[in-house]
Amino acid sequence: MKNNRLRVAIDMDEVIADTFAAQRLWYLDVHGYNWTDEELEGRHLGDLAAPEHAEAMQSVLHAGTFFAELGVMENAQDALKQLSQDFDIFITTAAMEYPASCGPKFQWLQKNFPFISPLNIVFCGHKNILAADYLVDDNVRHFHDFQGQGILFSAPHNQKVKWSPRVNNWRETVSYLTAQRLAKNP
């Protein structure tokens, strides 16, 4: 029997894992950067740091362990539990950008999202390989050649990006996806 549930691919960093807050704290603690929210709007942290400090952050990310203790985005756990009742949920992360992050990311997911089956966790490079109806991501580059609908999850670095649909938090994400499900399966 064919499963008629809609499939939702969900990114990790800046969508369910608060990588931004951890990186911002690292830049403050290690290099003394204390950027305002206005300075960060539409920019990546590495764009504001001295080149050698941005390279040091990249080294930390490539080591992988940085990803083990990230905070969880507000309401993400409850939202994914709720969405799991009506959708097939897959966590999809472009972990191959930082291959050493795979183990720490998997452990983080097991700790914070134990209700997501390990079989529904996808470590990839390009996300256009995903066979999903929706992709919730903070980076529009992942929507290029993706066959489903990209949903931009707001983050400081993408505030100036024009994309629709855009969601600002997990409550809006649940509302949007629920409305889509009801429209397709009344």
Side-chain angles (χ1 to χ4, degrees):
M1 186 166 100
K2 186 175 189 298
N3 179 355
N4 289 327
R5 291 163 49 111
L6 294 170
R7 183 176 285 183
V8 181
I10 299 173
D11 181 38
M12 280 185 70
D13 298 312
E14 291 314 302
V15 177
I16 61 172
D18 198 350
T19 313
F20 174 79
Q23 286 186 19
R24 189 175 185 179
L25 182 61
W26 181 89
Y27 274 111
L28 175 63
D29 290 348
V30 176
H31 296 292
Y33 291 108
N34 194 16
W35 297 300
T36 65
D37 291 342
E38 292 77 28
E39 289 174 299
L40 294 169
E41 187 175 305
R43 302 172 82 184
H44 292 273
L45 295 168
D47 296 340
L48 296 167
E52 63 273 15
H53 299 158
E55 286 177 31
M57 177 80 258
Q58 286 298 308
S59 293
V60 168
L61 296 174
H62 279 286
T65 57
F66 181 84
F67 297 93
E69 297 299 323
L70 298 173
V72 177
M73 296 295 275
E74 185 176 0
N75 298 315
Q77 290 160 316
D78 291 338
L80 266 61
K81 282 181 188 174
Q82 182 179 347
L83 290 170
S84 293
Q85 294 173 23
D86 297 310
F87 297 88
D88 288 335
I89 301 296
F90 290 82
I91 304 303
T92 58
T93 180
M96 300 322 298
E97 294 173 344
Y98 304 106
S101 73
C102 292
K105 283 185 172 200
F106 183 74
Q107 292 167 354
W108 185 90
L109 283 165
Q110 288 192 308
K111 174 184 168 188
N112 294 293
F113 294 86
F115 54 92
I116 301 290
S117 167
L119 299 177
N120 286 35
I121 297 172
V122 180
F123 294 108
C124 60
H126 295 293
K127 293 187 181 179
N128 61 0
I129 63 138
L130 300 173
D133 299 291
Y134 300 95
L135 170 59
V136 181
D137 206 299
D138 66 301
N139 197 322
V140 296
R141 74 180 164 96
H142 293 299
F143 303 151
H144 300 301
D145 298 324
F146 172 67
Q147 298 301 306
Q149 174 64 61
I151 302 169
L152 184 61
F153 196 90
S154 287
H157 68 84
N158 68 28
Q159 291 304 302
K160 295 180 180 179
V161 173
K162 301 281 189 234
W163 186 270
S164 183
R166 175 190 284 268
V167 292
N168 294 304
N169 54 52
W170 275 104
R171 286 188 183 100
E172 287 183 16
T173 307
V174 169
S175 293
Y176 177 82
L177 288 169
T178 300
Q180 294 299 303
R181 180 182 60 81
L182 292 172
K184 291 181 185 211
N185 300 313

